[in-house]
């Protein structure tokens, strides 16, 4: 029975403190020990974090290189664990052309290359640990980025954290107005056809758009739209003037992940996250 999992997460502010807490919500009976990245420290100014080691920003091949080196250099430390967990953003990797040879038809999709990629990860880890194929190497991929999870659980993340019980940027009334209107704005202006299949988000006419960047930009354009003379809501003018109403992985990602409900995310992120959730739940 799996009781202890050694975890290696992508080196970002969102994951560095909150990911073990998030995973505990899926299976509280497991001990998740984080080996990458090291925890962050808070600055004197509220809400500001600093990564305290050299793994800041590690993702993709760089993250895997760190994992393989760590396992090779610390075999005795890892030997006490029952499984390895690796978490990373896919961020546009593993796509296919729906029309062969037509770049504009590119879509993000779970492909044979993805399965080959995961198989290679398993084999490399088992080889370094001297384990056979039965040793659990658990994957956790956020597709395209961890913000997809936050959008899947809007009410507990973007729809909540700017209110008085979290970052206190908005009053309760302002937050409720913002949550409803901004979600519609995100669905129409950012997600567009991907609102019901968030994990496939990424490619528009063959060009990849980074979800987190699009969300950041949407905050500014949404506030501009509220300043329109046609806007009748009594909250519009005050919300449009809120300089602190913005999104930053560094400032807001940690809090959103802590508040996220894995159960809600499972319902909407069915390509990658649901499999991971079910696997972890059954251990």
């Amino acid at each position: 029975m799996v009781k202890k999992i050694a975890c290696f997460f992508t080196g970002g502010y969102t994951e560095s403190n909150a990911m073990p807490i998030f995973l505990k919500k899926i299976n509280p009976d497991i001990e998740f020990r984080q080996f990458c990245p090291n925890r962050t420290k808070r600055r004197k100014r509220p809400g500001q974090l600093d990564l305290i080691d050299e793994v800041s920003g590690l993702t993709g091949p760089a993250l895997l290189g760190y994992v393989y080196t760590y396992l090779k250099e610390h075999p005795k430390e890892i030997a006490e664990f029952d499984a390895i967990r690796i978490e990373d953003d896919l961020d546009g990797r593993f796509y296919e052309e729906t029309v062969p040879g037509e770049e504009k038809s590119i879509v993000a999709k779970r492909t044979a290359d993805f399965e080959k990629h995961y198989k290679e990860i398993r084999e490399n880890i088992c080889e370094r640990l001297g384990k056979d194929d039965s040793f659990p190497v658990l994957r956790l991929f956020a597709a395209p980025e961890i913000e997809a999870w936050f959008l899947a659980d809007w009410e507990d993340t973007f729809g909540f954290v700017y209110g008085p019980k979290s970052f206190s940027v908005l009053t309760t009334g302002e937050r409720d107005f913002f949550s409803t209107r901004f979600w519609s704005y995100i669905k129409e202006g950012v997600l567009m056809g991907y609102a019901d299949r968030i994990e496939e988000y990424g490619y528009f006419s063959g060009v990849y758009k980074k979800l987190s960047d699009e969300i950041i930009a949407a905050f500014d354009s949404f506030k501009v739209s509220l300043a329109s003379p046609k806007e009748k809501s009594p909250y519009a003018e005050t919300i449009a003037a809120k300089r602190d109403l913005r999104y930053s992985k560094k400032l807001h990602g940690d809090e959103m992940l802590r508040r996220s409900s894995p159960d809600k995310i499972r319902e909407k992120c069915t390509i990658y996250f649901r499999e991971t959730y079910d696997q972890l739940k059954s251990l």
Side-chain angles (χ1 to χ4, degrees):
M1 181 179 181
V2 174
K3 296 180 180 179
K4 297 173 64 177
I5 297 180
C7 299
F8 296 84
F9 307 133
T10 183
Y13 288 96
T14 299
E15 298 84 1
S16 61
N17 288 317
M19 187 61 76
I21 297 169
F22 177 79
L23 294 176
K24 269 285 189 183
K25 293 181 184 180
I26 302 176
N27 193 330
D29 296 326
I30 292 177
E31 176 187 344
F32 298 95
R33 183 82 59 83
Q34 179 173 323
F35 289 92
C36 174
N38 288 347
R39 300 304 179 91
T40 59
K41 62 181 179 182
R42 291 192 179 271
R43 295 185 189 177
K44 292 182 180 179
R45 221 173 134 188
Q48 289 194 324
L49 299 169
D50 277 328
L51 282 178
I52 59 176
D53 65 6
E54 73 281 4
V55 301
S56 175
L58 281 187
T59 187
L63 173 62
L64 291 176
Y66 179 90
V67 173
Y68 299 152
T69 299
Y70 194 97
L71 297 181
K72 183 177 180 180
E73 294 179 351
H74 304 277
K76 291 183 179 180
E77 183 179 17
I78 299 297
E80 64 179 281
F81 289 88
D82 304 302
I84 301 289
R85 160 77 71 193
I86 297 176
E87 180 274 332
D88 197 7
D89 291 346
L90 288 182
D91 216 359
R93 291 178 288 162
F94 308 109
Y95 57 85
E96 70 176 13
E97 296 172 350
T98 55
V99 180
E102 177 55 69
E103 289 187 358
K104 290 186 177 181
S105 72
I106 290 176
V107 295
K109 192 173 183 180
R110 185 162 169 162
T111 63
D113 285 341
F114 170 80
E115 300 300 339
K116 179 182 177 182
H117 173 69
Y118 173 61
K119 183 175 182 290
E120 290 173 352
I121 293 173
R122 282 186 43 82
E123 291 173 348
N124 281 321
I125 288 177
C126 290
E127 179 182 350
R128 282 162 175 78
L129 295 178
K131 302 287 188 180
D132 60 30
D133 290 343
S134 64
F135 181 76
V137 177
L138 311 174
R139 58 190 176 191
L140 177 58
F141 291 107
E145 299 177 77
I146 203 165
E147 283 76 16
W149 299 357
F150 301 158
L151 294 180
D153 182 16
W154 181 267
E155 291 181 355
D156 294 318
T157 59
F158 287 104
F160 179 86
V161 302
Y162 299 100
K165 292 185 179 181
S166 189
F167 288 100
S168 299
V169 176
L170 305 172
T171 66
T172 299
E174 290 170 344
R175 182 205 62 202
D176 292 345
F177 169 83
F178 166 78
S179 177
T180 301
R181 287 285 297 274
F182 191 50
W183 175 230
S184 295
Y185 190 85
I186 288 290
K187 284 193 293 184
E188 295 173 8
V190 175
L191 295 178
M192 292 181 272
Y194 291 104
D196 295 324
R197 47 192 181 99
I198 297 174
E199 287 183 303
E200 294 183 24
Y201 177 93
Y203 287 92
F204 295 83
S205 297
V207 177
Y208 181 70
K209 291 187 177 183
K210 191 171 176 65
L211 180 59
S212 56
D213 288 347
E214 294 299 311
I215 292 172
I216 290 168
F219 269 84
D220 291 335
S221 59
F222 174 69
K223 287 189 288 184
V224 170
S225 73
L226 292 181
S228 168
K230 297 180 180 180
E231 180 58 61
K232 303 299 182 182
S233 170
Y235 297 118
E237 185 175 353
T238 55
I239 290 176
K242 299 278 187 180
R243 295 182 63 184
D244 289 339
L245 185 59
R246 59 194 179 93
Y247 174 65
S248 163
K249 287 176 179 282
K250 187 173 183 178
L251 294 178
H252 307 110
D254 176 276
E255 180 72 5
M256 289 193 188
L257 186 56
R258 289 172 186 269
R259 293 186 176 278
S260 295
S261 166
D263 293 347
K264 293 179 181 179
I265 296 169
R266 181 190 180 277
E267 292 305 308
K268 294 185 178 180
C269 295
T270 60
I271 301 173
Y272 297 98
F273 184 84
R274 179 176 290 184
E275 176 187 70
T276 296
Y277 175 101
D278 293 345
Q279 184 185 44
L280 195 56
K281 194 82 170 176
S282 66
L283 292 177

